Amino acid sequence: DMAVADLQGLKQGSLSISVIDTAKYFAPEVLGHFWQLYPEIDVSLNVSNREHVLERLKNNQDDVYILGHNPPADLEIHSEAFAPNPLYVMAGKEHPLTKQNRSFSVEEIAEQPLLLREPGSGIRAAVEKLFASKGLAPNVGMVLSSNESIKHAVIGQLGISVLSLHSIFLEGAEGPIAVLDVEGFPIKHNWHVVRPKGKELSVVAKRFVEFLKKEGVSLSQKLDNLSNELELKSQSHRNIS
């Protein structure tokens, strides 16, 4: 009976996922791979900022949630890390800092106009925490509502920013955005799959969580490959200089 129920769930079930904005760089692809295995299920993906995803989590609106780091301690949740989410300082390829081909201190970065997400963003909180540990405050040049807006502003040399390495997956090391070598970076975070504590997952949701953990291995390898490409490119520039 359990086996039949599982089979029916994977043929007739549904799956609803909410993810933070930065997870949009991999979540649709992972969900697509899952749907190819189980094409009969109905899937929905909600992409929002951290505040909205946490609100949906509190209201139990979805099966599972993907966050860049754990939610506030006052929420009763079950959380599992499944892949790394490193945060790097990034600048446009034509930015004066990029052309210096050297390491930078946090103090030097604090003097630069910094492009940040809105208050409540996980990345912003991580940046402010690191700066505060050095007795510094970020020089906020502009607040933007999405990672894509920040990326375009970085390319346009409106400032520098701190972004997840996932955000430049498509562009890669040859793209218009460079990763700077900065003291204290990368800030090492993990991706977490989250659900309210005590919530009984559907057959489909259980299978997706299992699948997500396996996909996390592939995501980790992609990050390692991109990090190595960026390091090799940086070394090449320093050698030429």
Side-chain angles (χ1 to χ4, degrees), residues 60 63 195-203 205-206:
N60 194 23
D63 294 306
R195 68 177 185 271
K197 185 172 290 187
K199 178 174 182 173
E200 184 65 29
L201 292 179
S202 68
V203 172
K206 287 180 181 177

Side-chain angles (χ1 to χ4, degrees), residues 56-100:
R56 292 180 71 92
L57 173 60
K58 291 176 184 177
N59 295 328
N60 194 23
Q61 291 180 251
D62 306 280
D63 294 306
V64 293
Y65 308 80
I66 294 178
L67 297 170
H69 59 275
N70 273 325
D74 60 339
L75 289 181
E76 293 190 358
I77 54 94
H78 177 79
S79 176
E80 294 181 82
F82 66 89
N85 179 28
L87 310 180
Y88 286 82
V89 180
M90 300 188 187
K93 285 286 181 69
E94 300 303 316
H95 194 281
L97 292 186
T98 304
K99 294 182 177 297
Q100 292 184 35

